[in-house]
Amino acid sequence: MTTVLCVPQWQGSASSKAQRLMAGARRAAELVPADAVVTVPVLETGGDKAAGIRAYDVLVENQRLTRKALAGIDDRVITIGGDCAVDIPPIAAAHARYGDALTVLWIDAHPDVYSPQTLPSGAFHGMVVRALLGDGPAGLTLEQPLAPQQVIIAGERAGDVSEHEYLAKTGLRRCGVDDLERVLDDLRGPVYVHIDLDVLEPTAFGATCYPEPDGVQPRRLIDLVSQVDDIVGAAITEHAPASDEVNPGEAEVIRRLGTALTAGMSSGPSSA
C-alpha cells in the first residue's frame, strides 16, 4: 500500500514564483499512482524571518502538521511538495525506522547545504541537506541526524563556494549529470529517494523555480529511478507550473517518475 502525502508548502523558497509551488504540489499529487492521498493543511501565509530563516515560524508549524499527518499513515509514503523542506519529517521518520542502514538519494541540481550564515535570502529549501546532517536551526533539523555516508547527492551542477567547501569537509558523496548513473554503484537499501524537479533539463521540464541548464533528460532520470530497489520512501518536489493549464508533457514526466518510485517500493526485502 502506498499513500501520497501532499505538502503544498511554498515558504521555504525565496523565488518570485514560490507560491506556484502550492498548485504544483496539488497537481503532482493527482498524477502519482497511490492507494490514498493525504493533504497536509499547511499554512499558506508568509511568516517572520528568524534565526536567519525566512518564514521560520511558518516552516516550524508546517513541519509539526506534516509529522502529525505522517503519524496516521501506516503505508509507504511518497511525499509531494512544495519546496524541498517538506521532506524533512518523512526522512526523519524513515531514519527512526531504519537507522544507520538508511541511504538518502538526494536528486537535485543544487546540493542544498547552505547555512543561515551563507544564504542571505534565508530560503530554507537551500539548507535542507545540511539540516538532515544535524547542522541547522532548532525545529527544522533532525534530532537524530544522518551521517554523511548516508547521503548521496545526484545530478548536482550548481551551488556556490561555501557549499562546495562544506561538501568537501563532510565527504558527502555526489555525482553530477555526466556520471549520474554512478550513484547506483554499491547502492543498498533501504533507500529514500528525493527528487527535486530542477534536476531535469529545463528545455524538457521547465516548471520549476530555479531551473539550471545542462540538466538530466526526463527519460534518463526515470530509467535511473527504475533501477533503485528497496525504496522505503520518496519525494517529488519543486513543481511550479507556469499557469493553471496543465502541460501534458510535464504531467507525463511526473506520472512516470511516480510510477517508477511506486514500483521500487514494491521490490526489495524491506517492502514486506
Side-chain angles (χ1 to χ4, degrees), residues 57-204:
D57 51 340
V58 171
L59 295 173
V60 170
E61 175 62 8
N62 284 350
Q63 286 211 11
R64 185 190 70 80
L65 293 167
T66 303
R67 290 193 299 270
K68 181 179 178 181
L70 280 168
I73 301 173
D74 292 329
D75 302 340
R76 292 289 175 88
V77 174
I78 298 180
T79 301
I80 305 295
D83 64 71
C84 284
V86 305
D87 222 9
I88 289 182
I91 290 175
H95 192 212
R97 181 172 183 179
Y98 297 102
D100 293 344
L102 181 71
T103 296
V104 174
L105 179 56
W106 193 267
I107 304 174
D108 196 320
H110 309 89
D112 293 347
V113 292
Y114 281 109
S115 72
Q117 293 73 39
T118 59
L119 187 59
S121 71
F124 183 64
H125 73 160
M127 311 179 196
V128 177
V129 171
R130 195 158 176 155
L132 293 175
L133 299 178
D135 186 5
L140 297 175
T141 301
L142 261 62
E143 294 182 2
Q144 297 179 325
L146 298 171
Q149 60 267 28
Q150 290 181 264
V151 180
I152 305 172
I153 298 174
E156 183 254 325
R157 57 191 184 277
D160 74 354
V161 173
S162 69
E163 287 191 284
H164 291 151
E165 288 176 348
Y166 181 83
L167 291 170
K169 180 179 71 173
T170 56
L172 279 176
R173 179 180 166 192
R174 59 194 178 106
C175 301
V177 175
D178 291 343
D179 59 347
L180 182 70
E181 286 74 19
R182 193 162 54 86
V183 300
L184 298 172
D185 295 347
D186 301 320
L187 182 64
R188 299 287 184 269
V191 180
Y192 190 103
V193 180
H194 169 95
I195 299 173
D196 182 328
L197 291 167
D198 68 22
V199 76
L200 294 168
E201 164 57 39
T203 60

Side-chain angles (χ1 to χ4, degrees), residues 218-239:
R219 177 69 264 173
R220 187 180 176 199
L221 180 60
I222 293 163
D223 287 345
L224 178 82
V225 172
S226 298
Q227 296 178 65
V228 181
D229 294 327
D230 198 12
I231 298 175
V232 297
I236 299 174
T237 66
E238 301 280 348
H239 180 37

